[in-house]
Amino acid sequence: MASKPTVPDHVPAHCVGAFNLYKSPEMRPTPFGDPFAAVAKLLDGPSVFYAPETTRDGQGAWIVTTAEEQRNVLQDGASFSSYRRIFSSAIGEDWPVIPLELDPPEHGKYRSMLNPLLSPKRVAALEPFVTAKAVELIEGLKARGASAEIMTEFAFPLAVSVFLAFLGIPDDRLMEFVGWANELLHMGPAERTAAAHKVLNFLESMIAQRKAQPADDFMTFLVKAQVEGRPLTDQEIRSIAVLLFIGGLDTVATAIGLDLYFLARNPDRQQELRDNPAIMPSAVEEMLRAFPSVTPIRTATRDMDLGGCPIRKGDLVSCPSMASSRDPAEFPDPNTIDFNREDNRHTAFSYGPHRCLGSHLARREIIIALNEWFARIPPFRIKEGTAPVTFGGFVFGVENLVLDWS
């Protein structure tokens, strides 16, 4: 008989709730599921509660549900630290991925160094490549028939090709890299450790190559970059490279897949976009709100009260974006997907100092992907006899998404 998860002594009974991003039934791989709606139901309860065994490694955490309380946590880097050794712990080491796991003010100097690389101007320069890749993939699908498995044949090849081009990494091993990301983000401890070693070994070889043979790419920028007037150390270079490599492997592809999953099941919404192509940017923004994929987690650095519950130094605090993005206090009629929604202050890219560095690029990739898809593919649906599978966890997503446009 399994032992009952323990609750720390400082957590009063009225602050304990039941929720697990990994083990709750709605979070497990489910045919035609909707884990986002399941998380949104948390808003029917308290704004803050303690959930035992809710993290990927089985720890308990405080769950913050409302948009206002999440902003309070994510904005306050002094009280809520982002340092959790997400990557280095998998290989038995102790270092932060930079700048994600650094707290202000240390975080700021690295963020300032990296911001220009993913600015709207730099992203605009990448658009022709993104468009050409999307067209190439879609035309390839059409040439093979009138159906395709979207994640492996479109979403991942597009998103990963774009980011590898940005990093200066050839995409001849594209699906191998996607496999590493799957092992790192969605598998058990043994697979995560093996994948982390593969990623690190590959990046270290790329860094050595760029030191010997500079090019016009992100890796070369890193080996030449300076912070506070000095070159980056080898450890700083690999810490930043790890974040950018992993950040580009999964989340954008997931967003494209989730959007097409929704649209395939709602032909009227497809038609809305075909009739009004100019609303695609706001539609993408709305689907980012409705189907965000990540859950920022912080560590309390001091004792405090949050939402009427006693948070203690060292406690984990989890901010599932799927909850705050459906908060009725923030979004009128939050469970309705409104392609013309205004003042869409969602947290799909997190919030505060650690707001996603690549958000400009992610937005443009998704918009271009859907624009080119709609320009080239007639009305589409879930292929008869197939069942897309949704899942929660570290990064929410969908797989086995076979679309038919015959």
Side-chain angles (χ1 to χ4, degrees):
M1 184 175 178
S3 59
K4 185 177 180 180
T6 58
V7 175
D9 292 340
H10 68 272
V11 179
H14 74 271
C15 287
V16 179
F19 176 66
N20 193 306
L21 275 174
Y22 299 84
K23 297 180 181 179
S24 294
E26 304 89 344
M27 300 299 110
R28 296 171 182 162
T30 306
F32 289 103
D34 187 357
F36 304 94
V39 178
K41 291 178 182 176
L42 296 177
L43 290 157
D44 296 335
S47 63
V48 180
F49 67 92
Y50 187 85
E53 247 186 351
T54 193
T55 68
R56 182 162 61 161
D57 51 8
Q59 294 180 271
W62 293 97
I63 309 296
V64 181
T65 63
T66 64
E68 181 180 8
E69 289 284 26
Q70 285 196 15
R71 282 196 294 268
N72 290 339
V73 170
L74 297 174
Q75 184 67 44
D76 187 356
S79 301
F80 300 96
S81 172
S82 65
Y83 181 45
R84 294 192 57 236
R85 301 171 58 232
I86 294 170
F87 184 91
S88 62
S89 62
I91 55 174
E93 297 182 8
D94 185 1
W95 44 267
V97 289
I98 298 174
L100 178 65
E101 292 185 323
L102 293 179
D103 299 319
E106 190 77 358
H107 162 270
K109 62 186 182 183
Y110 296 96
R111 180 74 182 228
S112 296
M113 177 190 73
L114 293 170
N115 275 336
L117 285 174
L118 285 158
S119 67
K121 183 178 179 180
R122 286 294 296 266
V123 168
L126 276 171
E127 286 193 18
F129 177 85
V130 180
T131 302
K133 191 67 182 180
V135 171
E136 172 193 328
L137 290 167
I138 296 167
E139 293 298 333
L141 297 179
K142 290 170 63 180
R144 293 195 294 274
S147 70
E149 200 293 303
I150 294 306
M151 299 310 299
T152 57
E153 296 185 88
F154 179 57
F156 274 116
L158 174 62
V160 178
S161 290
V162 171
F163 219 79
L164 293 181
F166 169 75
L167 294 175
I169 299 173
D171 67 1
D172 54 343
R173 297 168 63 186
L174 184 148
M175 294 314 292
E176 182 182 4
F177 296 151
V178 171
W180 295 355
N182 184 58
E183 292 164 7
L184 195 61
L185 300 176
H186 303 292
M187 306 292 265
E191 292 89 351
R192 290 209 304 273
T193 296
H197 280 295
K198 292 174 190 173
V199 168
L200 202 52
N201 290 340
F202 175 77
L203 291 175
E204 287 174 342
S205 70
M206 280 294 303
I207 291 165
Q209 183 179 336
R210 286 298 179 259
K211 285 183 176 180
Q213 297 177 308
D216 183 18
D217 58 35
F218 177 78
M219 284 297 191
T220 301
F221 168 84
L222 277 189
V223 301
K224 292 184 174 182
Q226 293 196 348
V227 62
E228 295 187 323
R230 62 164 179 83
L232 295 176
T233 67
D234 287 348
Q235 178 57 48
E236 287 170 328
I237 292 170
R238 73 172 186 161
S239 296
I240 297 170
V242 162
L243 175 62
L244 271 293
F245 185 79
I246 296 169
L249 283 182
D250 197 80
T251 50
V252 173
T254 291
I256 294 169
L258 289 167
D259 291 355
L260 289 173
Y261 172 58
F262 168 75
L263 292 165
R265 300 180 72 190
N266 293 274
D268 57 324
R269 311 314 300 278
Q270 280 188 56
Q271 195 59 47
E272 184 178 353
L273 291 175
R274 295 184 191 279
D275 292 341
N276 305 281
I279 68 169
M280 185 63 81
S282 64
V284 165
E285 210 63 30
E286 175 67 346
M287 288 187 285
L288 282 168
R289 178 195 71 83
F291 312 122
S293 59
V294 297
T295 298
I297 297 180
R298 301 290 186 259
T299 303
T301 62
R302 61 178 180 85
D303 294 353
M304 71 194 83
D305 179 272
L306 188 68
C309 289
I311 312 296
R312 294 291 174 261
K313 182 178 179 180
D315 285 357
L316 296 181
V317 181
S318 175
C319 297
S321 55
M322 316 84 198
S324 59
S325 288
R326 302 282 182 108
D327 184 350
E330 187 76 18
F331 304 100
D333 199 8
N335 294 316
T336 295
I337 313 300
D338 178 1
F339 289 164
N340 295 291
R341 187 180 294 275
E342 298 179 354
D343 300 323
N344 199 341
R345 294 201 307 164
H346 63 73
T347 54
F349 295 115
S350 193
Y351 185 81
H354 290 289
R355 191 179 185 283
C356 176
L357 182 65
S359 61
H360 296 304
L361 179 57
R363 276 194 176 93
R364 290 309 304 162
E365 282 186 72
I366 300 165
I367 291 169
I368 290 170
L370 294 186
N371 274 334
E372 298 303 329
W373 182 268
F374 272 75
R376 288 169 168 76
I377 299 293
F380 53 93
R381 67 203 71 83
I382 307 296
K383 186 175 178 64
E384 188 175 349
T386 70
V389 173
T390 61
F391 52 86
F394 192 65
V395 178
F396 280 37
V398 60
E399 58 190 14
N400 192 39
L401 179 58
V402 184
L403 301 187
D404 183 284
W405 55 90
S406 58

